[in-house]
Amino acid sequence: MPSLAKNKSKSLKPKKVALKNGHKNGTKNGIRVSAKTAVLKKAAKVIDKVIGKATGKAAGQLGKPGKRTYFFGGSGKADGTKEMKNLLGGKGANLAEMANIGLPVPPGFTITTEVCTEFYANGKKLPKALDAEVRAAITKMEKVVGAKFGDPSNPLLVSVRSGARASMPGMMDTILNLGLNDKTAEGLAKKSGNARFVYDSYRRFVAMYGDVVLGMKPENKEDHDPFDVILEHKKQACGVTVDSELPADALKELVAEFKAEIKAKVGRDFPTDPYAQLEGAIKAVFQSWQNDRANLYRRLNNIPAEWGTAVNVQAMVFGNKGADCATGVCFTRDPASGENMFYGEYLVNAQGEDVVAGIRTPEKIETLGNVLPKAYKELLDIRKKLEKHYKEMQDIEFTIENGKLYMLQCRNGKRTGFAGVRIAVEMVDEKLISKEEALRRVEPEALNQLLRPVFLPAAKTAAVAEGRLLAKGLPAGPGAATGKVVFFADEAEALAEKGEKNLILCRHETSPEDIRGMNASLGFMTAFGGMTSHAALVARQMGKVCIVGCDALSFDYHARQMKVQTANGEVIVKEGDWISIDGFAGEVINGRVDTTPSEVIRVLIEKNLDAKDAPVYQRYAKLMSWADAARKLRVRANADQPDQAEASVAFGAEGIGLCRTEHMFFGEGKIGPMREMIVAETEEIRRAALDKLLPLQREDFAGLFRAMKGRPVTVRTLDPPLHEFLPHDESGIAELARDTGKSVEQVKARIADLKESNPMLGHRGCRLGITYPEITEMQARAIFEAAIDVAGEGQPVFPEIMIPLVGTKKELDLQAALVRSTADAVFAERGKKVGYMVGTMIEVPRAAMTADKIAETAEFFSFGTNDLTQMTYGLSRDDVPRVLAAYQSRDIYQVDPFVSIDRDGVGALVKMAVEKGRATKPKLKLGICGEHGGDAASVEFCHEVGLDYVSCSPYRLPIARLAAAQAALK
Ligand code: ADP
Ligand code: MG
Ligand code: MG
């Protein structure tokens, strides 16, 4: 995707200050540097150090040792292939691949990612040997093109393009038309007979080079890009509205004015020697790997700093030479819906990033056939050829020069979750890929989108009828979002940190500097840009609701409001006002609009939509059936209520892996007796309260067993510290005093009595059941009585009683014996038996280390990785937000260990417990029930260590099923 923004867009609009600007005394050109920015800067330094030490990390790849540049284009095979992404970056590898399969690619060469590592290791100097290789490659390009770099009468111009292993759209920098100076420009104008094109190219080059290499940036977020300001004046002076209408003279003047501005602002002369220009550009691209934007993007996407970027130097082709020239961006299928249709945009007489930067509104690709029929036909053929070759949806960039088509980039296209599922399933139907490949393709997390709400049709219809439909834009990110308007990304971020969840970021356009704020918002919309703009792309990647190109909006950032031109006149929307955006239809609605569940939810959970009328559901179901056939791990749900249990079954649960009984006590009629039980001073009073709880608990379990229809149900005995159940407000305390016949003072004293200095590590888990055995006894009784009741209804039942927080075998022995004797008593009373198991959670490090002993008693283990992570790190899950950002920016934690399992530490304990447990009992059943059970990377780990099942919250089940299938297919 061409890099929108980077302060390059050419119209007059406020630009965010680039993060890489220098700053003094905590201010950056007058703007306060947020703590986060400071953290980012420090992180960059740390990474500098790390990189400085890393050497030869990209070695051992397919490339030749010592070879620093790889040629592509022209006749003959390219030096590289698509397999060489690590060495050549994605862009370089695919340029080579496209050249190899005979597509028209302008010649050029790729400087490897290893050189990037060398560059950082050398204190940001290019290796000496590179120069000769670059000169040789340029000579080769000159032969293919028939022009000479720096030749005043026939100059070769090149682009210098970044390209890392993983695509990082717009994160790093690209420079076009390099090689121009006053002499070569004049020569080229003479040779081409097209001065307008030459000076258009020249002014673009000076602006890009000024920005990327010489550091010309807007001074603060409300400011305009300095080159845009000059350009805008020029347009006004010439009485034109779009830059393509500027005459050659005006463009030539711009070149001089841009250079003068650079000299004035950064005090540097614009380099005229093409090789000096080239060296500056290559260095700048390497340096852009470490800019704050790129650092942040890498962190969000778990891309290690050590990878480095490649640099591509490529002969220019020109889409800005006139009416038979164009430039464009396409997807071989619709990246939002996944529909198998050619999808894209182009601009006639334009260059580079004009399409995404929204200089002019781009045209739909379907109309290219009317303008440039020959090139369009070729593009359609290439679309087919690429999909057949890559067997994947491709995102392509092309330029047409005087009717001739050139391919400038291809890569696997980013897509929404909807599109991901649709493309994978349909490519199987089209026999392009296998089912296994389809399973590998879909990002498990993306399945979330299929479960996301849409607007309530009635609410939306009503809103429209009330005249609240404000505008229509392009639907770039599906889903429905309703929230408060915020205009600046940094402010969205700050509000989100304060807990504001419902934010809609509204901007003229977005740029890579905005990604943090975009991440913090429910959705975003822009006035400018098409389906391939930065906002659209980020939305697809982050799975956010998004509308772009909504040109009825105009922004007044200073007044913090936007004006919307509607059919009924002008509407002003202010910061903090509510709006709703429909990312399916592209519609913006004033005020709040209620949302409703998705197709999948309606078919599966609400059962008010027939599967045959739900195409999204059908594709989801197909993919899930393939996943179920492929996976080895079983999946269970964490659920405590019958409705949750039913939802779990609908989402594919094969059992309940964790029923937290404490949740049940907060239900109606239960918290009273529970509190009585807790404040009781004698066993007798406690038993009396427990007797009241018994029938209520029994009904809870019966409901769960019925909903699970014979699937195993793991019930955990009471786990949290008792004080959590007590009232903490005066009225609650008074009520409890009344109910127990105690004085308010007595109740308060009891509450104070139960207060612990560190409840998380206190009187909780099996410690409760050991100090108050009657609690475990009541719970066990409720479980077995319910099981026998439900079995009596003709339904199979299989309870698994799980003892929490065990750290020594003896704890489990005592609790297991109690459970078993209670079972015997109930079976004797009822004259009936049910099968059951008694096991334990492994969530205390000591339990993992003594798992061989514990397994003598336990019939199953379930890894409670929330507590296990907490205790392994000595960091409570609830307090992790305090350190997380700082730790991640310093690369101390790559990811939140409570979200994705820490393989090295917590994982090692799990592995040890698996081995020790199975050494004692080879058939020991093993599962996981922490939050990690619904995280794709953790599921993969569970598969690797040989667990029998993962258990997660119901709505994460589709993710777990797919992740389990992917793990099995690895
Ligand atoms: P990004 O990685 O941000 O997408 P690119 O390196 O792809 O940046 O460059 C952005 C755009 O610049 C390309 O899509 C293309 O339109 C234009 N461009 C790059 N190199 C050339 C070239 N050699 N000839 C013509 N246009 C080019
Ligand atoms: Mg590109
Ligand atoms: Mg626990």
Side-chain angles (χ1 to χ4, degrees):
M1 181 73 33
S3 53
L4 158 73
K6 293 190 291 198
N7 307 309
K8 284 194 212 161
S9 33
K10 305 303 181 288
S11 63
L12 192 62
K13 56 201 172 240
K15 298 301 297 182
K16 277 210 66 177
V17 67
L19 290 170
K20 62 183 165 197
N21 278 0
H23 62 91
K24 310 167 202 116
N25 306 330
T27 65
K28 185 168 58 186
N29 302 319
I31 295 273
R32 268 195 50 233
V33 184
S34 70
K36 265 214 170 135
T37 309
V39 163
L40 270 174
K41 294 202 174 267
K42 279 190 199 137
K45 275 188 201 140
V46 172
I47 293 166
D48 272 350
K49 270 192 206 149
V50 171
I51 284 201
K53 278 182 209 134
T55 45
K57 40 73 194 170
Q61 295 178 356
L62 298 156
K64 282 201 196 125
K67 187 172 162 65
R68 291 187 172 83
T69 59
Y70 285 71
F71 198 83
F72 58 82
S75 57
K77 280 255 174 251
D79 296 345
T81 66
K82 71 176 187 322
E83 274 71 41
M84 294 165 74
K85 280 204 178 78
N86 294 3
L87 189 64
L88 304 181
K91 202 181 284 169
N94 282 327
L95 282 167
E97 187 78 8
M98 285 197 292
N100 282 335
I101 61 172
L103 302 190
V105 177
F109 60 92
T110 304
I111 305 174
T112 68
T113 55
E114 290 179 351
V115 180
C116 185
T117 306
E118 280 185 85
F119 173 77
Y120 282 103
N122 284 344
K124 301 194 185 166
K125 285 199 199 71
L126 295 175
K128 289 232 163 50
L130 184 66
D131 191 53
E133 270 195 57
V134 165
R135 282 175 192 263
I138 293 271
T139 307
K140 206 166 165 185
M141 282 166 73
E142 291 172 342
K143 290 216 179 84
V144 178
V145 180
K148 247 175 110 63
F149 197 49
D151 180 349
S153 60
N154 180 22
L156 168 71
L157 303 189
V158 301
S159 63
V160 179
R161 318 172 62 189
S162 59
R165 209 195 284 197
S167 117
M168 298 173 55
M171 289 299 121
M172 292 178 298
D173 297 317
T174 287
I175 295 161
L176 304 182
N177 311 322
L178 188 140
L180 281 172
N181 55 36
D182 293 349
K183 288 210 185 77
T184 54
E186 209 181 302
L188 190 60
K190 210 173 284 165
K191 179 169 182 284
S192 65
N194 188 344
R196 199 212 68 86
F197 135 69
V198 174
Y199 290 100
D200 183 54
S201 304
Y202 198 2
R203 61 96 187 174
R204 290 169 186 271
F205 169 52
V206 176
M208 283 185 227
Y209 201 91
D211 168 10
V212 174
V213 185
L214 304 176
M216 278 284 286
K217 302 287 177 188
E219 306 210 319
N220 57 54
K221 78 176 174 191
E222 280 93 5
D223 268 6
H224 305 290
D225 176 85
F227 299 118
D228 282 351
V229 175
I230 301 172
L231 176 63
E232 207 55 36
H233 282 304
K234 190 61 72 190
K235 286 201 290 199
Q236 273 166 23
C238 297
V240 302
T241 50
V242 291
D243 10 330
S244 55
E245 291 170 350
L246 283 171
D249 289 347
L251 292 163
K252 192 172 177 180
E253 286 160 25
L254 277 179
V255 170
E257 289 165 27
F258 283 0
K259 285 183 175 176
E261 182 77 1
I262 292 170
K263 179 80 185 169
K265 287 269 164 65
V266 296
R268 290 173 68 178
D269 287 316
F270 198 86
T272 53
D273 172 42
Y275 275 104
Q277 292 175 350
L278 182 57
E279 190 187 333
I282 292 170
K283 281 187 182 160
V285 169
F286 281 148
Q287 261 167 323
S288 70
W289 176 249
Q290 291 282 326
N291 71 32
D292 288 332
R293 263 195 336 252
N295 286 340
L296 178 77
Y297 183 91
R298 278 204 303 273
R299 203 167 64 240
L300 289 177
N301 293 282
N302 289 326
I303 298 171
E306 303 87 64
W307 283 3
T309 181
V311 178
N312 300 286
V313 179
Q314 187 176 28
M316 284 301 301
V317 288
F318 301 99
N320 58 338
K321 265 187 169 169
D324 61 346
C325 303
T327 181
V329 189
C330 297
F331 291 87
T332 55
R333 297 184 190 217
D334 183 335
S337 72
E339 192 182 341
N340 189 357
M341 59 173 285
F342 199 28
Y343 196 91
E345 294 163 338
Y346 71 97
L347 274 176
V348 167
N349 198 11
Q351 192 179 42
E353 332 216 66
D354 290 3
V355 171
V356 274
I359 308 306
R360 287 176 271 151
T361 305
E363 305 295 329
K364 286 209 152 66
I365 198 71
E366 304 90 274
T367 66
L368 182 63
N370 308 332
V371 192
L372 295 161
K374 213 179 121 256
Y376 183 58
K377 192 182 163 293
E378 199 180 345
L379 191 60
L380 290 179
D381 289 344
I382 287 177
R383 173 197 176 208
K384 280 214 192 92
K385 198 165 176 180
L386 281 174
E387 276 215 346
K388 239 178 135 179
H389 184 72
Y390 283 93
K391 303 187 188 314
E392 235 313 13
M393 188 263 266
Q394 294 295 300
D395 167 354
I396 60 192
E397 297 173 10
F398 68 91
T399 284
I400 299 167
E401 178 179 339
N402 300 134
K404 164 107 187 69
L405 175 73
Y406 293 95
M407 296 302 296
L408 293 172
Q409 193 170 338
C410 80
R411 63 169 158 231
N412 295 341
K414 293 268 184 331
R415 63 206 73 184
T416 64
F418 290 92
V421 171
R422 179 162 184 179
I423 291 169
V425 170
E426 290 187 350
M427 281 192 167
V428 173
D429 295 344
E430 292 161 27
K431 304 207 162 38
L432 217 48
I433 58 173
S434 64
K435 288 175 186 164
E436 290 72 26
E437 184 54 27
L439 288 170
R440 281 190 201 101
R441 290 265 174 96
V442 179
E443 181 70 50
E445 202 64 39
L447 292 174
N448 257 337
Q449 283 178 39
L450 275 62
L451 311 181
R452 270 216 312 241
V454 295
F455 285 126
L456 204 69
K460 193 175 158 192
T461 312
V464 174
E466 286 160 23
R468 282 160 57 200
L469 178 62
L470 286 180
K472 248 190 119 154
L474 302 169
T482 187
K484 291 181 193 156
V485 171
V486 51
F487 291 117
F488 294 101
D490 54 351
E491 290 169 17
E493 197 189 347
L495 285 168
E497 262 166 31
K498 284 190 208 137
E500 181 57 74
K501 293 274 175 292
N502 302 308
L503 294 169
I504 311 284
L505 179 66
C506 302
R507 304 236 352 127
H508 189 73
E509 86 281 77
T510 64
S511 80
E513 284 99 327
D514 296 331
I515 48 174
R516 275 184 298 226
M518 297 169 88
N519 200 25
S521 311
L522 275 183
F524 27 88
M525 75 172 169
T526 65
F528 246 29
M531 292 293 280
T532 50
S533 67
H534 178 260
L537 184 124
V538 173
R540 282 195 285 277
Q541 217 176 330
M542 290 183 176
K544 300 277 180 180
V545 182
C546 174
I547 297 176
V548 296
C550 193
D551 47 21
L553 310 177
S554 61
F555 289 84
D556 186 340
Y557 289 133
H558 283 285
R560 292 176 181 265
Q561 62 181 36
M562 61 183 174
K563 208 159 61 189
V564 193
Q565 212 59 53
T566 75
N568 315 318
E570 225 170 71
V571 177
I572 302 283
V573 180
K574 294 203 171 65
E575 186 173 85
D577 288 353
W578 283 79
I579 57 162
S580 305
I581 56 177
D582 182 337
F584 295 104
E587 288 165 346
V588 185
I589 294 162
N590 208 356
R592 305 174 70 144
V593 179
D594 291 336
T595 54
T596 172
S598 73
E599 236 181 54
V600 174
I601 301 291
R602 292 188 53 204
V603 173
L604 285 180
I605 309 298
E606 304 197 331
K607 301 183 170 55
N608 56 11
L609 179 65
D610 197 326
K612 72 176 191 311
D613 301 323
V616 174
Y617 168 77
Q618 287 172 21
R619 289 189 286 266
Y620 158 87
K622 215 170 190 178
L623 189 77
M624 283 295 116
S625 73
W626 298 341
D628 292 344
R631 68 186 160 87
K632 301 275 185 305
L633 273 174
R634 301 199 150 255
V635 294
R636 293 194 183 191
N638 299 347
D640 332 311
Q641 316 274 352
D643 60 331
Q644 292 172 5
E646 273 163 28
S648 304
V649 172
F651 283 129
E654 296 163 283
I656 287 181
L658 174 61
C659 162
R660 300 176 166 98
T661 49
E662 57 272 17
H663 289 182
M664 296 173 164
F665 292 121
F666 288 100
E668 212 171 320
K670 285 173 229 168
I671 191 68
M674 184 69 183
R675 286 172 173 169
E676 287 171 35
M677 189 273 291
I678 295 168
V679 296
E681 262 127 23
T682 65
E683 185 183 330
E684 202 192 336
I685 304 175
R686 199 157 39 243
R687 279 193 183 275
L690 285 167
D691 284 346
K692 288 192 216 164
L693 285 170
L694 175 67
L696 303 172
Q697 275 261 278
R698 188 169 56 219
E699 267 326 290
D700 287 333
F701 292 133
L704 216 50
F705 294 150
R706 282 187 198 109
M708 291 310 288
K709 301 198 166 49
R711 296 173 183 84
V713 176
T714 305
V715 181
R716 177 176 72 185
T717 53
L718 196 62
D719 183 50
L722 294 179
H723 80 93
E724 279 189 16
F725 297 97
L726 290 176
H728 294 286
D729 58 320
E730 290 295 332
S731 73
I733 292 172
E735 194 179 319
L736 181 55
R738 219 171 33 243
D739 291 353
T740 51
K742 291 182 189 303
S743 70
V744 166
E745 281 63 40
Q746 280 172 316
V747 172
K748 282 189 175 165
R750 181 67 182 141
I751 292 174
D753 214 37
L754 283 168
K755 200 168 141 43
E756 298 175 80
S757 7
N758 198 341
M760 198 64 93
L761 301 173
H763 192 192
R764 56 169 288 220
C766 65
R767 295 159 199 158
L768 291 172
I770 285 169
T771 47
Y772 302 121
E774 53 280 10
I775 300 179
T776 305
E777 203 184 305
M778 180 281 284
Q779 290 199 299
R781 176 167 281 275
I783 292 166
F784 292 117
E785 289 183 358
I788 288 173
D789 286 350
V790 175
E793 293 161 15
Q795 246 197 53
V797 244
F798 196 81
E800 300 172 341
I801 294 90
M802 178 160 80
I803 310 299
L805 222 72
V806 162
T808 66
K809 175 175 181 284
K810 190 73 197 263
E811 286 171 309
L812 181 61
D813 287 347
L814 289 172
Q815 290 286 288
L818 191 56
V819 170
R820 291 185 188 290
S821 64
T822 307
D824 291 343
V826 173
F827 295 164
E829 287 162 26
R830 297 290 188 98
K832 209 169 165 182
K833 281 186 179 180
V834 292
Y836 71 96
M837 289 206 291
V838 185
T840 184
M841 292 188 79
I842 302 289
E843 55 184 339
V844 173
R846 194 181 192 283
M849 291 183 277
T850 58
D852 46 347
K853 305 244 168 47
I854 290 173
E856 287 167 10
T857 308
E859 291 174 284
F860 65 88
F861 285 171
S862 177
F863 290 95
T865 47
N866 299 341
D867 266 305
L868 191 58
T869 300
Q870 191 155 251
M871 292 188 219
T872 302
Y873 276 88
L875 172 62
S876 87
R877 176 167 55 145
D878 302 319
D879 297 315
V880 75
R882 284 178 200 279
V883 299
L884 192 61
Y887 268 46
Q888 284 188 316
S889 70
R890 287 168 177 81
D891 261 353
I892 300 172
Y893 297 165
Q894 257 84 46
V895 289
D896 180 347
F898 290 95
V899 171
S900 200
I901 199 159
D902 155 45
R903 284 175 171 250
D904 295 345
V906 178
L909 285 170
V910 171
K911 234 173 130 188
M912 178 195 294
V914 167
E915 281 157 16
K916 286 184 171 242
R918 287 217 169 117
T920 303
K921 244 182 214 158
K923 291 248 161 75
L924 186 69
K925 189 155 150 191
L926 301 169
I928 180 177
C929 64
E931 286 308 301
H932 300 95
D935 166 69
S938 311
V939 170
E940 187 186 336
F941 169 80
C942 294
H943 173 89
E944 281 169 23
V945 297
L947 300 194
D948 297 301
Y949 68 87
V950 296
S951 187
C952 60
S953 60
Y955 281 68
R956 308 270 320 161
L957 280 161
I959 295 172
R961 287 156 78 189
L962 180 55
Q966 290 181 347
L969 292 171
K970 274 251 157 89

